Amino acid sequence: MEQRLSMVSLGVESLERASKFYAAMGFAPAGCSDEHIVFYQLKGIALALYPRDLLAEDAQVPAEGSGFSGITLAYNVREREEADSVLAQAKAAGGTVVKPAQEVFWGGYSGYFADPDGHLWEVCWNPFFPIAEDGSIIVPESLK
């Protein structure tokens, strides 16, 4: 297996509500999207929105569940101040700011929002992980 991630699929209660939220966040659906699934071409990865019950059925697991799922998505910003504006954008789009951006113990600045289905997104300025011109994150060889 190659060291890469190809797609993240989010199980959503309402495809219409979720796609409106992501549109308000600036995401444009790919042309192959339809009334059953919405795809977004991101930098080096794809994001999909699919009905939660059908996604669970496809994976052959129960659709019920609540609380922390053990995973967060992250959006790293280029400048510290951008974290606050992205969190404000998420709130205006119908998301919930779970944790306002704040200084964190490791030297960065981050906060969290939940999309309308409760999927957690960290919005983070990490001075040690720069963002390349193409939007990809650069993981350093050392944190020293």
Side-chain angles (χ1 to χ4, degrees), residues 2-8 44-46:
E2 295 176 37
Q3 187 170 308
R4 63 180 168 84
L5 184 63
S6 304
M7 183 178 299
V8 172
I45 191 170

Side-chain angles (χ1 to χ4, degrees), residues 44-121:
I45 191 170
L47 177 68
L49 304 177
Y50 193 62
R52 182 182 175 98
D53 58 337
L54 297 177
L55 188 58
E57 181 182 313
D58 186 53
Q60 298 181 351
V61 297
E64 303 80 31
S66 63
F68 183 59
S69 66
I71 189 170
T72 63
L73 304 169
Y75 181 79
N76 283 43
V77 295
R78 289 180 170 87
E79 303 292 333
R80 182 185 187 279
E81 300 75 26
E82 193 181 352
D84 293 310
S85 61
V86 171
L87 289 169
Q89 181 183 7
K91 183 175 182 179
T96 303
V97 175
V98 176
K99 175 187 159 190
Q102 55 195 254
E103 301 288 334
V104 288
F105 71 94
W106 47 265
Y109 184 75
S110 76
Y112 287 82
F113 72 84
D115 74 6
D117 287 280
H119 300 291
L120 289 174
W121 284 78

